[in-house]
């Protein structure tokens, strides 16, 4: 069996080949722009711009895509850490290192075309254009230049190392819209259009920003760099800043304006596609903070069985271990995990999932072995202590190290997988600290503004590579699955990991992202829509959330119960339906266990009348599984986004959607499409009995198929859209509309 721990670098990273050098004062790879009806194969292997001490490589990559790498003082190695697939799944490029057949001198000129994208160098300044069907070209963006502006490619070097800080500027139009940039789950951010924002590129709880964005002008740009930094979406320019890098590496692709599915298809062909998840995980997932012993889990399964409520996954949350870093159950409370998993399966048919943290405390049985073998992240001062939790200071397992990933998986296999618990919850592994934006996690002094730990990994520093730290945790689980089963899991998963953070390319793992520890409030319920569609626009559709929010919901209050049912009704129409949270109630805490919350979070915990409604929604989710499964199949095949903002499907047919998206109008951004056929408009107001819903104007293609907007619950026909409608919205009827035949949707026929 191939050992993927040792073959990882060969699978995912690029190695250099010797470039082909040519010299001339003016070199042009292409001067003609024939129409876009047939694919235009690259007319050059690449351009090298020699700009004094700066080198810039411009190469065709993927369909209608260009890859640019820039460095100073020396050429890129071609083997820098990267989330790009080499070769891409589709299209030209790959395995070519830094090859080029054009060399451009200082302030030289050249062009290169790949499909419908053209990269043009004029006097050393780089522009990107799209070739239109009639052969004309449209400028997408260009390096930002002005007589009173900093150079568009700007470097600041700390001469203690070969790295540098980079600042790259690109021109943008004042009315241009930008989508994506990953997950910003701040409660105040209800934006889909990121224009005017500054996005911090740093990982912490609920904040999984990604250096990728789409423009309404018809292009997607991705900075293939795991560096911390920021993206500034200014009025006239977009600026990417990397705190530390050895090469600036970015990719850009184009499609006709409004064809966001094509952009995603091209982007996921170079970063990877989500394998289809196993059927069971598309059902109802039950979790809370926390079930603290084996008896509770078995009793829970028995109750699901007795109440005849479907459940597909039951989750054991954190501190089921004795010490952080054990990666095993505490036998005092979990004496027979294999029997527990078998009993759960017998009673409910459900699989199980268990939480793992990256933290390591000195008392763990694994502390000395990992320390002695160099498997823990260190810090700039050498101690490796990066945070604290539960009264102890902690280090991090360095999952960027292949040996550390192998060590971790062996412990997970011995403790859980071999006992029949096959799914893993990667929690707190955001990188740098133990998962938060601050130091001293769990202490009363978290508000003191200490600098975050200067963590250092096998692959580099937190500043240069820290965005990829959680990505390698996902990789550890994937490697374990593949090695243990001997199966090819690149297109189909048997088991899954749940992660709180990731990086671009994380969608190619058997894994799904959730939005972290969110507040339990109605406005946050609505804000999660903008979070979900933004991360989906960043290439990651395998996403979910804590139904009910994580913290602040009291199950014994009418308001808390209503909030839970409203959130659950939205969860029915998400890629995954997952209940979790740290609930409040009128019960005293249990003194037997730390972090043992006695407050319930099960379907029957929210009152008898609501239990009837909750069972109705869970049953509906299982009716929708064939549809959701089909959406995941299309995601795997073409990268087609599952949770879709309205601009995806209606920006060409409906001006109101365009303007509403530009201004982040709640009427538009607090609705979404689940796939191409279901519109969801969740209720985000306490005590509401009706909801005003905007039905977008259908495209000509939709009209030709005979589609009209039909209300899910009453089957009332509302025509072809372009109007606000008010519908009844009792707790058991979330406002939902569909296109086509409901029978086709429930059968998974699109």
């Amino acid at each position: 069996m191939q050992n993927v721990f040792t073959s990882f670098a060969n699978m995912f990273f690029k190695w250099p080949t010797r470039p082909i050098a040519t010299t001339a004062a003016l070199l042009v790879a292409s001067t003609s722009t024939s129409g876009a009806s047939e694919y235009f194969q690259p007319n050059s292997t690449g351009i090298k711009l020699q700009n004094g001490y700066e080198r810039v490589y411009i190469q065709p990559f993927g369909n209608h895509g260009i890859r640019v790498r820039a460095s100073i003082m020396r050429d890129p190695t071609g083997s820098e850490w990267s989330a790009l697939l080499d070769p891409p799944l589709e299209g030209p490029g790959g395995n070519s290192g830094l090859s080029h057949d054009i060399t451009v001198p200082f302030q030289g000129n050249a062009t290169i075309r790949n499909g419908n994208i053209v990269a043009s160098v004029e006097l050393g300044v780089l522009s990107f254009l799209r070739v239109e069907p009639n052969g004309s070209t449209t400028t997408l963006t260009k390096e930002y230049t002005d007589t009173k502006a900093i150079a568009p490619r700007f470097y600041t070097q700390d001469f203690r190392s070969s790295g540098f800080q980079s600042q790259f500027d690109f021109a943008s139009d004042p009315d241009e819209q930008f989508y994506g940039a990953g997950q910003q789950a701040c409660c105040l951010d209800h934006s889909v259009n990121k224009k005017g924002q500054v996005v911090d590129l740093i990982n912490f709880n609920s904040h999984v920003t990604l250096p990728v964005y789409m423009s309404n002008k018809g292009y997607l740009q991705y900075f293939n760099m795991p560096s911390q930094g920021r993206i500034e979406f200014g009025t006239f320019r977009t600026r990417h800043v990397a705190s530390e890098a050895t090469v600036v590496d970015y990719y850009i692709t184009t499609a006709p304006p409004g064809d966001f599915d094509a952009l995603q298809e091209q982007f996921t062909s170079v970063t990877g596609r989500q394998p289809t998840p196993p059927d069971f995980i598309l059902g109802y997932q039950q979790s809370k903070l926390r079930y603290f012993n084996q008896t509770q889990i078995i009793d829970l399964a028995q109750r699901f069985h007795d109440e005849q409520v479907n459940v597909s996954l039951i989750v054991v949350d954190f501190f089921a271990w004795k010490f952080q870093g054990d990666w095993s159950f505490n036998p005092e409370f979990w004496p027979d995990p294999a029997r527990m998993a078998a009993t759960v399966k017998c009673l409910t048919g459900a699989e199980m999932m268990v939480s793992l943290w990256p933290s390591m405390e000195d008392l763990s049985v694994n502390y000395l072995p990992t320390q002695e073998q160099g498997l823990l992240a260190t810090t700039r001062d050498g101690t490796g202590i990066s945070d604290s939790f539960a009264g102890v200071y902690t280090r991090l397992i360095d999952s960027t190290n292949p040996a550390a990933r192998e060590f971790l998986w062996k412990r997970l296999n011995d403790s859980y997988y071999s006992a029949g618990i096959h799914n893993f919850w990667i929690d707190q592994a955001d990188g740098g600290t133990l998962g938060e934006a601050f130091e001293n996690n769990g202490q009363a002094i978290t508000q003191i503004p200490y600098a975050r730990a200067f963590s250092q990994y096998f692959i580099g520093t937190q500043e240069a590579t820290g965005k990829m730290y959680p990505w390698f945790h996902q990789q550890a689980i994937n490697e374990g699955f593949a090695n243990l089963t001997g199966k090819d899991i690149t297109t189909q998963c048997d088991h899954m990991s749940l992660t709180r953070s990731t990086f671009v390319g994380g969608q190619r793992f058997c894994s799904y992202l959730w939005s972290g520890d969110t507040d339990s409030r109605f406005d946050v319920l609505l804000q999660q829509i903008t979070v979900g569609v933004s991360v989906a626009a960043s290439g990651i559709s395998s996403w979910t959330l804590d139904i009910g929010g994580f913290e602040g919901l009291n199950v014994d209050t009418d308001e808390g119960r209503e909030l839970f049912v409203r959130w659950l009704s939205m969860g029915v129409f998400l890629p995954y339906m997952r209940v979790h949270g740290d609930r409040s109630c009128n019960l005293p805490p249990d003194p037997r266990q730390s972090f043992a919350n006695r407050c319930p979070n099960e379907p029957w915990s929210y009152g008898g009348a609501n239990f009837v409604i909750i069972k109705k929604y869970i049953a509906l989710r299982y009716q929708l599984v064939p549809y959701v499964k089909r959406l995941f199949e299309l995601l795997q095949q073409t990268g087609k986004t599952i949770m879709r903002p309205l601009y995806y499907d209606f920006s060409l047919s409906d001006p109101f959607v365009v303007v509403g998206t530009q201004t982040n109008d709640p009427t538009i951004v607090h609705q979404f499409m689940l796939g191409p056929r279901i519109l969801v408009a969740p209720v985000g107001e306490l005590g509401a009995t009706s909801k005003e819903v905007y039905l977008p104007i259908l495209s000509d293609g939709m009209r030709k198929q005979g589609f009209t907007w039909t209300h899910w619950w009453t089957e009332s026909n509302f025509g072809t859209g372009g109007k606000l409608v008010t519908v009844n919205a009792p707790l058991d009827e979330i406002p939902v509309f569909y296109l086509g035949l409901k029978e086709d949707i429930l059968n998974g026929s699109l």
Side-chain angles (χ1 to χ4, degrees):
M1 183 187 305
Q2 181 190 30
N3 189 324
V4 296
F5 292 105
T6 58
S7 66
F8 175 71
N10 292 329
M11 292 167 62
F12 291 104
F13 301 117
K14 279 72 54 197
W15 307 104
T17 59
R18 183 178 301 277
I20 303 171
T22 62
T23 59
L26 175 65
L27 291 167
V28 180
S30 172
T31 56
S32 62
T33 50
S34 58
S37 58
E38 295 183 3
Y39 194 87
F40 188 99
Q41 294 299 323
N43 52 7
S44 169
T45 61
I47 298 170
K48 178 181 180 181
L49 169 61
Q50 184 73 49
N51 188 40
Y53 71 97
E54 181 195 34
R55 289 97 160 130
V56 182
Y57 288 85
I58 307 161
Q59 297 172 298
F61 200 80
N63 284 329
H64 311 289
I66 296 289
R67 184 181 185 185
V68 178
R69 280 172 283 184
S71 63
I72 58 175
M73 309 306 294
R74 58 187 60 82
D75 284 342
T77 65
S79 59
E80 289 83 8
W81 298 105
S82 166
L84 291 174
L85 292 174
D86 191 1
L89 296 176
E90 299 156 3
N95 291 325
S96 57
L98 301 173
S99 65
H100 59 280
D101 50 23
I102 301 171
T103 298
V104 178
F106 173 70
Q107 290 200 327
N109 302 279
T111 64
I112 184 173
R113 179 177 173 185
N114 177 24
N116 294 334
I117 193 167
V118 173
S120 173
V121 181
E122 295 184 24
L123 299 178
V125 176
L126 186 54
S127 302
F128 299 97
L129 306 94
R130 180 178 56 249
V131 180
E132 306 296 356
N134 64 3
S136 65
T137 58
T138 300
T139 299
L140 303 170
T141 187
K142 61 180 294 186
E143 293 177 333
Y144 180 85
T145 57
D146 197 348
T147 56
K148 301 295 182 182
I150 293 173
R153 302 189 302 271
F154 190 75
Y155 311 87
T156 304
Q157 187 166 28
D158 182 342
F159 287 97
R160 289 176 297 177
S161 73
S162 60
F164 51 80
Q165 182 187 84
S166 64
Q167 176 180 296
F168 273 44
D169 292 352
F170 296 87
S172 66
D173 297 334
D175 60 350
E176 191 170 354
Q177 299 181 36
F178 292 105
Y179 319 119
Q183 174 179 287
Q184 299 178 82
C186 172
C187 304
L188 299 178
D189 181 14
H190 289 249
S191 68
V192 169
N193 176 22
K194 305 301 179 181
K195 185 73 167 183
Q197 291 195 16
V198 175
V199 176
D200 292 321
L201 297 174
I202 187 170
N203 297 338
F204 52 84
N205 189 349
S206 297
H207 192 80
V208 191
T209 50
L210 300 171
V212 56
Y213 47 85
M214 296 191 296
S215 165
N216 65 328
K217 292 176 65 176
Y219 68 91
L220 176 151
Q221 189 166 16
Y222 160 52
F223 284 85
N224 181 39
M225 304 164 67
S227 312
Q228 293 184 167
R230 66 185 183 276
I231 302 175
E232 304 170 5
F233 292 106
T235 303
F236 297 105
R237 65 181 167 192
T238 301
R239 171 176 289 172
H240 176 272
V241 176
S243 298
E244 182 183 344
T246 57
V247 60
V248 176
D249 184 353
Y250 67 89
Y251 158 87
I252 185 168
T253 188
T254 189
D259 195 348
F260 299 101
D261 283 321
L263 291 177
Q264 289 296 320
E265 182 173 11
Q266 289 150 208
F267 178 54
T268 56
S269 76
V270 301
T271 57
R273 297 215 173 107
Q274 179 71 44
T276 52
D279 290 353
F280 76 85
I281 213 159
L282 302 181
Y284 174 78
Q285 303 178 26
Q286 176 64 44
S287 181
K288 79 164 191 173
L289 189 159
R290 75 184 175 89
Y291 303 111
F292 71 88
N293 65 25
Q294 181 172 317
T295 300
Q296 282 193 334
I297 292 293
I298 292 176
D299 290 348
L300 175 69
Q302 186 68 57
R303 183 72 182 271
F304 269 104
H305 173 272
D306 295 346
E307 297 285 358
Q308 297 184 354
V309 176
N310 280 329
V311 61
S312 293
L313 186 72
I314 291 177
V315 183
V316 177
D317 200 355
F318 74 154
F319 276 78
W321 49 76
K322 187 174 183 180
F323 299 112
Q324 294 177 72
D326 283 351
W327 301 307
S328 63
F329 283 120
N330 183 343
E332 179 181 355
F333 300 98
W334 310 88
D336 193 347
R339 184 176 74 84
M340 174 180 65
T343 303
V344 166
K345 188 75 171 178
C346 179
L347 287 170
T348 66
E351 296 284 332
M352 289 193 66
M353 173 179 281
V354 66
S355 169
L356 66 108
W357 280 25
S359 50
M360 176 71 68
E361 62 178 285
D362 293 6
L363 292 177
S364 172
V365 66
N366 294 318
Y367 170 67
L368 285 179
T370 52
Q371 189 76 293
E372 291 167 355
Q373 296 173 48
L375 306 183
L376 300 179
T378 185
T379 51
R380 196 164 295 171
D381 60 8
T383 67
I385 294 173
S386 58
D387 214 329
S388 66
F389 199 84
V392 298
Y393 285 100
T394 58
R395 297 169 173 84
L396 295 174
I397 185 72
D398 183 6
S399 287
T400 73
N401 184 337
R405 294 197 299 275
E406 187 170 11
F407 183 97
L408 174 62
W409 174 256
K410 286 180 177 178
R411 295 298 296 134
L412 297 179
N413 181 42
D414 292 345
S415 302
Y416 307 120
Y417 195 96
S418 62
I421 300 173
H422 299 147
N423 306 280
F424 298 96
W425 180 0
I426 305 168
D427 201 358
Q428 303 289 135
D430 308 79
T433 63
L434 190 53
E436 302 296 344
F438 48 79
E439 287 285 358
N440 292 314
N441 194 341
Q443 296 187 26
I445 57 172
T446 56
Q447 298 304 311
I448 297 177
Y450 292 112
R452 283 165 56 96
F454 292 106
S455 298
Q456 300 195 115
Y457 310 111
F458 177 83
I459 65 169
T461 66
Q462 175 68 26
E463 292 87 345
T465 62
K467 290 287 290 176
M468 279 188 97
Y469 179 78
W471 192 93
F472 281 103
H473 277 270
Q474 295 172 282
Q475 176 68 23
I477 305 300
N478 244 54
E479 288 172 338
F481 286 158
N483 266 346
L484 193 66
T485 65
K487 291 184 177 180
D488 178 2
I489 57 173
T490 57
T491 60
Q492 174 68 53
C493 304
D494 292 332
H495 313 295
M496 296 286 282
S497 67
L498 171 68
T499 184
R500 197 171 76 179
S501 192
T502 188
F503 188 64
V504 170
Q507 74 273 6
R508 63 181 180 252
F509 300 133
C510 290
S511 189
Y512 59 121
L513 175 70
W514 103 99
S515 62
D517 298 345
T518 54
D519 293 343
S520 298
R521 303 201 313 259
F522 276 99
D523 63 315
V524 177
L525 182 161
L526 295 175
Q527 186 262 353
Q528 290 291 287
I529 299 171
T530 64
V531 170
V533 299
S534 292
V535 78
S538 308
I540 297 177
S541 277
S542 192
W543 179 87
T544 190
L545 45 66
D546 289 349
I547 288 177
F550 176 73
E551 190 170 26
L553 190 154
N554 190 318
V555 303
D556 290 329
T557 65
D558 291 341
E559 179 179 348
R561 292 177 173 185
E562 182 177 335
L563 174 62
F564 180 83
V565 175
R566 289 298 192 192
W567 214 312
L568 182 101
S569 69
M570 180 174 75
V572 172
F573 296 93
L574 294 179
Y576 304 92
M577 185 183 185
R578 173 183 174 270
V579 165
H580 181 67
D582 185 11
R583 300 294 181 242
S584 301
C585 66
N586 298 332
L587 294 173
D590 192 319
R592 294 173 294 173
Q593 272 277 294
S594 59
F595 309 107
N597 188 344
R598 296 178 66 190
C599 298
N601 190 37
E602 295 72 44
W604 46 85
S605 306
Y606 293 88
N610 287 330
F611 184 30
V612 174
I613 297 172
I614 291 168
K615 286 193 290 185
K616 173 183 175 180
Y617 278 131
I618 292 175
L620 175 58
R621 173 64 183 197
Y622 283 89
Q623 287 182 284
L624 287 169
V625 163
Y627 179 71
V628 178
K629 180 178 179 180
R630 181 59 184 149
L631 297 182
F632 271 104
E633 290 172 349
L634 293 173
L635 177 68
Q636 206 293 310
Q637 294 163 9
T638 67
K640 190 178 182 71
T641 301
I642 292 178
M643 187 175 178
R644 305 166 69 84
L646 297 191
Y647 68 80
Y648 255 66
D649 296 295
F650 306 107
S651 61
L652 297 181
S653 60
D654 194 330
F656 188 70
V657 169
V658 174
V659 174
T661 303
Q662 182 178 30
T663 60
N664 290 307
D665 182 347
T667 305
I668 298 301
V669 302
H670 287 165
Q671 301 181 178
F672 67 95
M673 297 288 291
L674 177 68
R677 302 283 289 278
I678 297 177
L679 183 145
V680 187
V683 175
E685 180 183 353
L686 179 66
T689 59
S690 62
K691 168 83 174 183
E692 191 175 58
V693 180
Y694 182 71
L695 300 178
I697 299 172
L698 300 184
S699 67
D700 290 342
M702 294 174 178
R703 293 168 185 252
K704 288 178 181 178
Q705 294 181 72
F707 288 172
T708 55
W709 291 113
T710 305
H711 187 238
W712 186 272
W713 306 105
T714 65
E715 301 297 338
S716 299
N717 191 306
F718 285 82
T720 57
K723 57 187 175 184
L724 285 163
V725 300
T726 299
V727 294
N728 291 330
L731 275 180
D732 64 340
E733 292 185 4
I734 179 177
V736 172
F737 293 79
Y738 68 92
L739 298 171
L741 299 176
K742 183 184 286 187
E743 180 182 1
D744 289 343
I745 293 172
L746 297 179
N747 290 332
S749 302
L750 299 182

